Amino acid sequence: MTHEVLYFKGAGRAETTRIMLHAAGIDFKDTRFGFQDWGTVKPTTPRGQVPVLKVDGKQYTQSLAMQRYAAKKAGFYPT
């Protein structure tokens, strides 16, 4: 399974997802871009927003859902 986190340079709303994926030992591509690149990146994202979590090429948005997914993978989310 391949994972990629796409977000602006800096922590922001994607940081918790990055931390959870790291804690779970899941290798992921951390793609960060500057505000000057947002005009180019925006049309490639669902709903024109970031952060985006790509899992096997499928794009997911909504930072809390991404955090919940990563927390489950890390074993930090109750079943």
Side-chain angles (χ1 to χ4, degrees), residues 20-55:
M20 290 291 177
L21 290 172
H22 181 73
I26 296 173
D27 288 327
F28 65 97
K29 182 178 179 183
D30 189 8
T31 304
R32 300 179 190 218
F33 57 91
F35 288 107
Q36 70 277 8
D37 300 319
W38 176 232
T40 305
V41 174
K42 184 175 181 176
T44 68
T45 64
R47 299 185 180 104
Q49 65 186 32
V50 288
V52 172
L53 174 63
K54 294 181 184 179
V55 180

Side-chain angles (χ1 to χ4, degrees), residues 1 4 8 12-13 15 21 27 30 32 36 38 40 47 49 52 56 58-59 63 66 70 72-73 75:
M1 207 175 255
E4 179 180 359
F8 296 105
R13 295 185 179 270
E15 192 65 12
L21 290 172
D27 288 327
D30 189 8
R32 300 179 190 218
Q36 70 277 8
W38 176 232
T40 305
R47 299 185 180 104
Q49 65 186 32
V52 172
D56 289 336
K58 184 163 181 174
Q59 297 186 65
S63 57
M66 292 167 45
K72 286 180 181 180
K73 290 288 188 182

